[in-house]
Amino acid sequence: MSQQENLPFDEEYYQPPYKAVYRESIENAEKFWRKMSEELEWFYPYEKVLDETNAPFYRWFSGGRINISYNALDRNLKSRGNKIAIYWENEKGENIGLTYSQLYNEVNRFAKVLQDLGIKKGDRAVIYLPLMPELPISMLALARLGAIHSIVFSGFSVQALIDRINDAKAKMVITTTHTMRRNKRVELKGIVDQAVEQTPSVENVLVIKRNEEPVMKKKDVLYQDLAKRTGYKKVEVEETSSTDPLFILYTSGTTGKPKGIFHLHGGYGIWTYLTTKWVFDLRDNDVFFNTADIGWITGHSYIVYGPLQAGATVLMYEGVPDYPNPDRWWELVEKYNVTVFYTSPTAIRSLMKYGEDWIKNHDLSTLRILGSVGEPINPEAWRWYYKNIGNSSLPIVDTWWQTETGGIMISATPGLGNYMLKPSANGLPLPGVDADVFTEEGIPTNPREKGYIVIKRPWPGMLAGVWNDPDRYIKTYWSKFQGVYYPGDYAVKDEDGFFFILGRADEVLKIAGHRIGTREIEDILISHPAVAESAVIGIPDPVRGETAVAAVVLKQGYTPSSQLRKELEDYVKKTLGSIVIFGGIYFVSKLPKTRSGKIMRRLVRSVISGQTLGDVSTLEDETSVDELKKVIEEFS
Ligand code: 6R9
């Protein structure tokens, strides 16, 4: 980013202790992690820092007993009982504040209700809730019992819910009637009702009542009824082992079937706690506003588990940034004296278009650190954020990480004195993160040469595996290069060791920062009666980062029309979720394929984005490419 000349990026901005801490974490790993783990409370000490006997199924702090919900609540009760843990506000300005002791009480009451419904250690429950207080409450309650939560983002729809419930064999679904978006009602329970018709493992649907009477179905139980009967009682915390699963979060990969990434109480607990402190530097008087949804990993780790274990105050906002006006977030920053603000490049770009007047009327002077996550941030958005929200003086931590990594891996670390920012760079690896960039052949690239980012040793926040699919775990993450973790992103590293993440190296899209696989969209498209075949690719979008474009072959008897195009779009949104945003659907009579019949998505992408085709020697029928070109020309 050429406009950042005034930014500090020379040696003197390496304040201690980042360098020393990083060096210690690599050279003296065992001792380092022993020391770090002492900051949390253990029921029983672990035997081994890192158990490598079943690599790559590495296990951290094995033999120990620790519970993340206990560390977030019980541990903080003693010193911070009366401190606000969670502020919540919605579009209308309705709000509540829960202190650590109130949150503790709510979580215990919720846990008792769950227990009475037969939920016990190891059981899975799917949570399908908007950003309402019961979302973190139910997570922490399940974790308290040693049960495993799997949150499905409320922007997903019926099919996505069915697939996740069935893969996890969830015993329970926790939901509510609806949420409000731009003053419009968004139905949730109706979607659950449809889904549970196809999910035999579900015994109960626990319905949380909001301001309307839910229509109850046969498996439904009303939370408020049970909670009233239960009252506020303490529920014994389950002394889970470090290696017991805490949650499964489904994420997209290169096939149509989402992967159940699962994380464990010990390693994930320590990683989210430490990274919260290292990156966001949270102290006792901070108010942390993370605009992510808890349905994605960013919310799991940095609305709930990291900040609450660190004893911080978080702000949760149920609504969109530009309703009722485009200053909704700045209003909240001012009202709650937010000090650390974390958002996505897409959100920044969507607010840029409204101009700066919406910011000027608000006092943002409490802010001290800004963050970005989810996709690479483009220079214009960075500059706008830095200048208008950061008053040309605040550090922007551009945090690179993934569902799989549990927490932030590469970023500046103000909590360790490292404020060093470089144009377009994510920053340096966090302590314990042994990152590098490899060529296709698996050797380190030269400085500034593009390659694949890799992590060369296990770290505590790493995924424990893919639920029900150990082979996929090995194949996806540990097979491209021998013995190192492969995240699937392109990157470069410069001569000072700074990493620049360039984007996905696989068939995964980031639409408005939301991760979705092209194959998942293809699978839904071909389940529509009119569609015979489809190839979905991503194209750049000025606001959303990327959108999905589909080339579709229709079945006999169907003819292309703008009406059918609209119908397919709606069908995908209704079935998979509203997060899928199309940049175009093109009807063709055949797709470019190899002689062995494989769809050549690379060629579809080249044609649609107007790039040169590259190697076409395996293409079976060149007219397929010509036709697609023609269709696109006609369309535009
Ligand atoms: C946390 C999260 C992971 C993918 C990741 C990468 C992209 C995330 C980024 C970034 C550049 C950043 N990504 N943060 N790219 N700069 N600061 O987003 O998790 O939804 O699993 O997505 O997002 O491509 O591989 P997840």
Side-chain angles (χ1 to χ4, degrees):
M1 242 148 286
S2 55
Q3 294 302 307
Q4 291 174 40
E5 290 81 18
N6 54 345
L7 278 184
F9 51 84
D10 45 56
E11 272 294 305
E12 67 182 283
Y13 281 89
Y14 273 129
Q15 305 286 335
Y18 167 76
K19 257 189 177 172
V21 173
Y22 185 79
R23 193 176 307 125
E24 176 77 3
S25 76
I26 298 297
E27 288 171 7
N28 245 325
E30 160 105 23
K31 193 169 143 227
F32 178 80
W33 291 117
R34 282 201 181 274
K35 196 162 140 245
M36 291 296 128
S37 67
E38 282 167 15
E39 294 192 24
L40 295 177
E41 240 178 88
W42 295 78
F43 304 123
Y44 189 82
Y46 51 87
E47 285 151 27
K48 261 189 170 163
V49 167
L50 175 61
D51 180 355
E52 304 187 81
T53 46
N54 194 22
F57 296 89
Y58 298 98
R59 289 298 179 258
W60 284 83
F61 310 110
S62 56
R65 296 199 163 268
I66 189 168
N67 181 303
I68 199 168
S69 186
Y70 179 92
N71 271 289
L73 297 173
D74 308 54
R75 186 175 127 269
N76 282 318
L77 269 190
K78 299 158 204 161
S79 53
R80 302 186 173 93
N82 294 324
K83 178 180 173 172
I84 295 286
I86 298 178
Y87 284 119
W88 169 88
E89 184 157 330
N90 67 8
E91 287 187 349
K92 279 191 2 210
E94 293 166 337
N95 60 75
I96 59 166
L98 288 171
T99 64
Y100 271 89
S101 72
Q102 286 167 330
L103 181 60
Y104 171 86
N105 289 336
E106 292 301 330
V107 167
N108 274 275
R109 186 169 67 152
F110 208 109
K112 185 74 179 69
V113 168
L114 293 170
Q115 223 170 30
D116 290 348
L117 289 169
I119 295 290
K120 51 183 195 318
K121 187 178 169 202
D123 287 344
R124 275 86 58 208
V126 160
I127 305 178
Y128 188 63
L129 289 175
L131 268 194
M132 64 197 282
E134 283 79 0
L135 177 47
I137 290 168
S138 57
M139 294 162 81
L140 291 160
L142 286 158
R144 186 171 186 87
L145 301 176
I148 303 164
H149 60 72
S150 183
I151 305 178
V152 178
F153 173 55
S154 56
F156 278 117
S157 194
V158 188
Q159 194 58 46
L161 201 49
I162 293 172
D163 292 345
R164 286 157 177 76
I165 295 171
N166 286 340
D167 189 73
K169 295 199 176 55
K171 236 170 125 169
M172 177 185 277
V173 178
I174 301 172
T175 193
T176 188
T177 47
H178 68 289
T179 180
M180 298 298 285
R181 228 179 136 79
R182 300 198 162 84
N183 205 27
K184 286 208 185 75
R185 191 178 178 283
V186 178
E187 176 65 36
L188 295 174
K189 185 165 183 300
I191 291 174
V192 173
D193 290 345
Q194 287 176 55
V196 294
E197 280 171 21
Q198 296 179 55
T199 57
S201 61
V202 174
E203 293 169 10
N204 288 121
V205 176
L206 183 58
V207 183
I208 297 160
K209 184 175 153 179
R210 302 196 94 175
N211 48 7
E212 63 179 62
E213 219 41 64
V215 180
M216 301 298 274
K217 303 272 166 172
K218 99 173 161 284
K219 290 181 177 174
D220 294 356
V221 283
L222 195 65
Y223 176 69
Q224 277 81 355
D225 282 353
L226 303 176
K228 206 193 267 162
R229 234 175 290 151
T230 304
Y232 290 101
K233 280 192 205 86
K234 184 177 167 181
V235 174
E236 267 330 297
V237 62
E238 179 73 39
E239 297 194 358
T240 35
S241 87
S242 325
T243 54
D244 279 334
L246 166 66
F247 67 81
I248 309 168
L249 182 56
Y250 287 85
T251 191
S252 301
T254 45
T255 72
K257 192 176 176 290
K259 295 175 282 199
I261 304 301
F262 68 103
H263 285 283
L264 315 178
H265 275 264
Y268 174 84
I270 289 195
W271 193 243
T272 50
Y273 166 80
L274 289 173
T275 52
T276 298
K277 297 184 77 113
W278 289 339
V279 176
F280 301 111
D281 188 29
L282 291 189
R283 303 177 202 156
D284 251 327
N285 43 9
D286 277 308
V287 177
F288 184 41
F289 182 15
N290 173 359
T291 69
D293 193 289
I294 296 177
W296 302 99
I297 192 70
T298 305
H300 278 64
S301 298
Y302 300 111
I303 293 178
V304 184
Y305 290 118
L308 294 183
Q309 285 189 100
T313 297
V314 294
L315 167 62
M316 258 173 85
Y317 170 58
E318 185 178 352
V320 294
D322 55 357
Y323 183 87
N325 288 304
D327 62 347
R328 190 64 183 107
W329 280 355
W330 320 129
E331 215 172 69
L332 291 167
V333 168
E334 182 172 4
K335 175 169 174 187
Y336 290 95
N337 294 318
V338 171
T339 56
V340 183
F341 180 75
Y342 194 32
T343 194
S344 68
T346 289
I348 295 164
R349 287 189 297 262
S350 75
L351 291 173
M352 278 166 72
K353 64 173 187 279
Y354 296 110
E356 289 74 56
D357 286 348
W358 291 105
I359 303 159
K360 289 193 185 118
N361 299 330
H362 295 285
D363 178 4
L364 305 183
S365 63
T366 48
L367 289 172
R368 62 184 192 89
I369 295 173
L370 304 178
S372 175
V373 64
E375 45 180 322
I377 184 165
N378 54 308
E380 294 74 21
W382 193 98
R383 240 176 268 138
W384 189 88
Y385 194 27
Y386 182 68
K387 177 164 173 270
N388 298 296
I389 309 303
N391 194 25
S392 300
S393 60
L394 301 184
I396 298 178
V397 292
D398 182 0
T399 62
W400 174 79
W401 60 294
Q402 312 178 291
T403 305
E404 292 89 339
T405 68
I408 297 165
M409 301 292 276
I410 292 178
S411 167
T413 40
L416 292 172
N418 170 21
Y419 288 89
M420 248 176 60
L421 307 172
K422 255 195 200 199
S424 299
N426 293 85
L428 299 167
L430 267 58
V433 177
D434 192 359
D436 209 341
V437 179
F438 277 6
T439 63
E440 192 68 52
E441 289 70 42
I443 48 171
T445 52
N446 296 315
R448 296 188 177 275
E449 184 192 339
K450 182 174 168 181
Y452 303 99
I453 185 163
V454 295
I455 312 294
K456 295 191 287 187
R457 64 166 83 189
W459 67 100
M462 64 185 287
L463 71 164
V466 176
W467 196 256
N468 287 335
D469 204 346
D471 292 343
R472 193 164 175 200
Y473 168 73
I474 296 173
K475 216 172 132 230
T476 312
Y477 303 108
W478 299 95
S479 300
K480 183 156 174 95
F481 303 116
Q482 194 54 43
V484 304
Y485 171 77
Y486 171 70
D489 277 326
Y490 288 122
V492 297
K493 187 170 116 173
D494 72 7
E495 40 298 308
D496 300 324
F498 277 71
F499 286 82
F500 302 68
I501 308 296
L502 306 174
R504 298 290 309 185
D506 56 13
E507 303 296 328
V508 170
L509 306 183
K510 275 295 187 114
I511 302 178
H514 296 155
R515 180 166 164 183
I516 188 89
T518 53
R519 303 296 167 94
E520 279 170 87
I521 304 173
E522 287 174 9
D523 282 359
I524 299 295
L525 276 171
I526 57 177
S527 74
H528 187 280
V531 177
E533 277 186 303
S534 92
V536 172
I537 55 119
I539 56 158
D541 179 271
V543 174
R544 298 182 179 97
E546 262 181 320
T547 52
V549 172
V552 169
V553 179
L554 293 175
K555 284 195 187 139
Q556 283 211 329
Y558 290 90
T559 35
S561 70
S562 52
Q563 201 187 334
L564 184 55
R565 185 175 291 122
K566 173 85 177 39
E567 185 181 319
L568 292 180
E569 252 184 59
D570 291 347
Y571 175 75
V572 172
K573 279 188 202 282
K574 222 180 116 223
T575 319
L576 190 58
S578 54
I579 61 165
V580 184
I581 295 167
F582 281 102
I585 295 180
Y586 300 109
F587 296 113
V588 287
S589 66
K590 51 185 171 296
L591 293 170
K593 287 187 185 168
T594 62
R595 284 189 193 103
S596 57
K598 281 209 187 96
I599 297 174
M600 295 180 81
R601 290 177 182 77
R602 175 177 66 78
L603 289 185
V604 177
R605 183 177 307 108
S606 304
V607 174
I608 290 177
S609 54
Q611 290 159 355
T612 50
L613 294 184
D615 181 14
V616 288
S617 57
T618 55
L619 179 63
E620 190 199 36
D621 179 356
E622 282 185 28
T623 62
S624 60
V625 170
D626 299 335
E627 186 199 3
L628 184 59
K629 272 190 195 156
K630 217 174 115 229
V631 169
I632 289 165
E633 272 162 27
E634 277 166 16
F635 201 77
S636 47

